[in-house]
Amino acid sequence: KTSERKGRSSKAEARSRAAAKEKTLECGQIVWGLAFSAWPAAEAGGTEPPCALGLPCLVLATGLNDGQIKVWEVQTGHLLFSLLGHQDVVRDLSFAPNGSFILVSASRDKTLRVWDLSRDGRQVQVLTGHVQWVYCCSISPDCSMLCSAAGEKSVLLWSMRSYTLIRRLEGHQSSVVSCDFSPDSALLVTASYDACVIMWDPYTGEQLRTLRHVPLHSALDYSSEVHTSSLRSVCFSPEGLYLATVADDRLLRIWALELRSPVAFAPMTNGLCCMYFPHGGFIATGTRDGHVQFWTAPRVLSSLKHLCRKALRTFLTTYQVLALPIPRKLKEFLTYRTF
């Protein structure tokens, strides 16, 4: 009987996986922001939603045009929360990576709001100070920093512990609309309407490199009226060696940081935001027509030297690396001055 149950479970799991290759979540509004997080498996006697096979459910938060935030369980499409508080478009969302289920939202109402999903989605903090629409927010993986951009040429770095301003990063020639930290918190990338993605050292404020979007071959250029300079979103891959960007030229791009150039393209229309699945292999994109789409992305096997750098930078700041009694070339590698 045990083996029979296992057999049925395997078949059910296979059917579930086959059915989950493509799905659409009907949000009912334009989707401007996305954020993935893992939901804990239900405990005995708990009230959490049950998860298949006792594994964590995959949760996706969606920021909508009417100011709502809808939080979904992806496998079933079940709506977990509708978070109310923002007075205008929720442009971006970011989960605290430490598993605390803290969610930060950025809105056109010029505020950032902090939500605690472990306390029934309670709003715990409102951050004010921006004078323009807040386009994006990103929490560093070590949960020490929060980056936000508000339709200005600069971005703000905040402390996640005290919610005070750390520094302002200036370098773009037009409005910054998206930002993201690398998995080891050592890098910050920002995307702007100026057609550029800038990679920063968040500890020193130094610009490390610039990735420029250029028009593709005419065979792939779908309309001469589309402005390739209008970047909408940028995000790091889970291993930290690739970036995904969405632009108004109707393309999803995947960039190799080591090559400083795109290595893959996907045609998409009305794209506004993108987010990697936490374990790699998939990218979710939000569109103006109210859909979330899922794309297959190349899986990457990191080199040993990159894994060592990532492990060290997870707990060492740039200043701590520079203070180490090691050769200059090794310091440059560990601080991403070279690849």
Side-chain angles (χ1 to χ4, degrees), residues 13 15 23 25 38 54 60 81 96 110 119 165 184 191 198 200 208 232 247-248 252 295 303 305-306 331:
E13 182 181 356
R15 286 195 299 269
K23 64 171 75 247
L25 304 177
L60 180 68
F81 300 107
K110 304 178 184 179
R119 299 166 63 189
L165 183 64
D184 56 7
I198 296 181
W200 311 81
L208 301 182
R232 296 294 173 178
D248 278 351
L252 168 68
W295 307 81
S303 65
K305 66 177 185 179
H306 174 67
K331 291 182 180 180

Coordinates of all heavy atoms in Angstrom, one line a residue, residues 13 15 23 25 38 54 60 81 96 110 119 165 184 191 198 200 208 232 247-248 252 295 303 305-306 331:
E13 N 2.0 14.3 -8.9 CA 3.1 15.3 -9.0 C 3.5 15.6 -10.5 O 3.6 16.7 -10.9 CB 4.3 14.9 -8.2 CG 5.4 16.0 -8.2 CD 6.6 15.5 -7.4 OE1 6.5 14.4 -6.8 OE2 7.6 16.2 -7.4
R15 N 1.6 15.1 -13.1 CA 0.5 15.8 -13.8 C 0.5 17.3 -13.4 O 0.3 18.2 -14.2 CB -0.9 15.2 -13.4 CG -1.1 13.8 -14.1 CD -2.6 13.4 -14.0 NE -3.0 13.3 -12.6 CZ -3.0 12.1 -12.0 NH1 -2.5 11.0 -12.6 NH2 -3.4 12.1 -10.7
K23 N 1.0 29.2 -17.0 CA -0.2 29.6 -16.3 C -0.3 31.2 -16.3 O 0.7 31.9 -16.5 CB -0.3 29.1 -14.9 CG 0.7 29.6 -13.9 CD 0.4 29.1 -12.5 CE 0.7 27.7 -12.3 NZ -0.5 26.9 -12.1
L25 N -2.2 34.4 -14.1 CA -2.9 34.9 -12.9 C -3.6 36.2 -13.3 O -3.0 37.1 -13.8 CB -1.9 35.3 -11.8 CG -0.9 34.1 -11.4 CD1 0.0 34.7 -10.3 CD2 -1.7 33.0 -10.8
A38 N 9.3 32.6 -0.7 CA 8.9 31.2 -0.3 C 8.0 31.3 0.9 O 8.3 32.0 1.9 CB 10.1 30.3 0.0
G54 N 4.3 18.9 1.3 CA 4.9 19.5 2.5 C 6.0 20.4 2.2 O 6.8 20.9 3.1
L60 N 3.9 34.9 -5.0 CA 4.2 36.0 -5.9 C 3.3 37.2 -5.5 O 2.1 37.1 -5.4 CB 3.9 35.6 -7.3 CG 4.2 36.7 -8.4 CD1 5.7 37.0 -8.4 CD2 3.7 36.3 -9.7
F81 N -3.6 37.4 -0.1 CA -3.8 38.7 0.6 C -4.1 39.7 -0.5 O -3.6 39.7 -1.6 CB -2.6 39.2 1.3 CG -2.1 38.3 2.5 CD1 -1.0 37.6 2.3 CD2 -2.9 38.3 3.6 CE1 -0.6 36.7 3.4 CE2 -2.4 37.4 4.7 CZ -1.3 36.7 4.6
A96 N 12.0 40.9 1.9 CA 13.2 40.7 2.7 C 13.7 39.3 2.5 O 12.9 38.4 2.7 CB 12.9 41.0 4.2
K110 N 4.4 58.5 -3.8 CA 5.6 59.0 -3.3 C 6.0 58.4 -1.9 O 6.9 59.0 -1.2 CB 5.5 60.6 -3.1 CG 5.1 61.3 -4.4 CD 5.0 62.8 -4.2 CE 4.5 63.5 -5.5 NZ 4.3 64.9 -5.3
R119 N 2.0 38.5 9.8 CA 1.0 39.1 10.7 C -0.2 39.5 9.9 O -0.7 40.6 10.1 CB 1.6 40.3 11.5 CG 2.8 39.9 12.4 CD 3.6 41.1 12.8 NE 2.8 42.0 13.7 CZ 3.2 43.2 14.1 NH1 4.4 43.7 13.6 NH2 2.5 44.0 14.8
L165 N 18.7 57.6 5.8 CA 19.4 57.7 4.5 C 20.9 57.4 4.7 O 21.6 58.0 5.5 CB 19.2 59.0 3.9 CG 19.8 59.3 2.5 CD1 19.2 58.4 1.5 CD2 19.7 60.7 2.1
D184 N 25.0 38.6 -3.3 CA 25.9 38.7 -2.2 C 25.9 40.1 -1.6 O 26.8 40.4 -0.7 CB 27.4 38.3 -2.6 CG 27.9 39.1 -3.8 OD1 27.2 40.1 -4.2 OD2 29.0 38.8 -4.3
A191 N 18.6 50.9 -13.6 CA 18.2 51.1 -15.0 C 17.4 52.4 -15.1 O 16.6 52.8 -14.3 CB 17.3 49.9 -15.4
I198 N 23.6 51.0 -14.9 CA 24.8 51.3 -14.2 C 25.0 50.3 -13.0 O 24.0 50.0 -12.3 CB 24.9 52.7 -13.6 CG1 24.9 53.7 -14.8 CG2 26.1 52.9 -12.8 CD1 24.9 55.2 -14.3
W200 N 26.9 49.6 -9.5 CA 27.5 50.4 -8.4 C 28.1 49.5 -7.3 O 27.6 48.3 -7.1 CB 26.5 51.3 -7.7 CG 25.6 52.1 -8.6 CD1 24.5 51.7 -9.3 CD2 25.8 53.5 -8.9 NE1 24.0 52.8 -10.0 CE2 24.7 53.9 -9.8 CE3 26.7 54.5 -8.5 CZ2 24.6 55.2 -10.3 CZ3 26.6 55.8 -9.0 CH2 25.5 56.1 -9.8
L208 N 30.9 51.1 -11.2 CA 31.9 50.0 -11.7 C 31.8 49.8 -13.2 O 32.9 49.6 -13.8 CB 31.6 48.7 -10.9 CG 31.6 48.8 -9.4 CD1 31.3 47.4 -8.8 CD2 33.0 49.3 -9.0
R232 N 12.6 49.7 -18.5 CA 11.5 49.5 -17.5 C 12.0 48.8 -16.3 O 11.5 49.0 -15.2 CB 10.3 48.8 -18.2 CG 9.7 49.6 -19.3 CD 9.1 50.9 -18.8 NE 8.6 51.7 -19.9 CZ 7.9 52.9 -19.7 NH1 7.7 53.3 -18.5 NH2 7.6 53.6 -20.8
A247 N 12.7 46.4 -21.8 CA 12.7 47.7 -22.4 C 11.5 47.9 -23.4 O 10.8 46.9 -23.7 CB 14.0 48.0 -23.2
D248 N 11.3 49.1 -23.8 CA 10.1 49.4 -24.6 C 10.4 49.0 -26.1 O 9.5 49.3 -26.9 CB 9.8 50.9 -24.6 CG 9.0 51.3 -23.4 OD1 8.5 50.3 -22.7 OD2 8.8 52.4 -23.1
L252 N 12.8 41.2 -24.0 CA 13.4 40.8 -22.8 C 14.8 40.4 -23.1 O 15.1 39.5 -23.9 CB 12.6 39.6 -22.1 CG 13.3 38.9 -21.0 CD1 13.3 39.8 -19.7 CD2 12.5 37.6 -20.7
W295 N 9.0 32.7 -18.3 CA 9.9 32.4 -19.4 C 11.0 31.5 -18.9 O 11.4 31.6 -17.7 CB 10.6 33.7 -19.9 CG 9.6 34.8 -20.3 CD1 9.0 35.7 -19.5 CD2 9.1 35.1 -21.6 NE1 8.2 36.5 -20.2 CE2 8.3 36.2 -21.5 CE3 9.4 34.6 -22.9 CZ2 7.6 36.7 -22.6 CZ3 8.8 35.1 -24.0 CH2 7.9 36.2 -23.9
S303 N 31.5 29.3 -11.7 CA 32.9 28.9 -11.6 C 33.3 28.8 -10.1 O 32.6 29.5 -9.3 CB 33.9 29.8 -12.3 OG 33.8 31.1 -11.7
K305 N 35.9 30.1 -8.7 CA 36.4 31.4 -8.2 C 35.2 32.4 -7.9 O 35.2 33.2 -7.0 CB 37.3 32.1 -9.2 CG 36.7 32.5 -10.5 CD 37.8 33.2 -11.4 CE 37.2 33.7 -12.7 NZ 38.2 34.4 -13.5
H306 N 34.1 32.3 -8.7 CA 33.0 33.1 -8.5 C 32.2 32.7 -7.2 O 31.8 33.5 -6.4 CB 32.0 33.1 -9.6 CG 30.7 33.9 -9.4 ND1 30.7 35.2 -9.2 CD2 29.4 33.4 -9.2 CE1 29.4 35.6 -9.0 NE2 28.7 34.5 -9.0
K331 N 42.1 41.7 -4.6 CA 41.2 42.7 -4.0 C 40.3 43.2 -5.1 O 39.0 43.4 -4.9 CB 41.9 43.8 -3.4 CG 42.6 43.5 -2.1 CD 43.3 44.7 -1.5 CE 44.0 44.3 -0.2 NZ 44.6 45.5 0.4

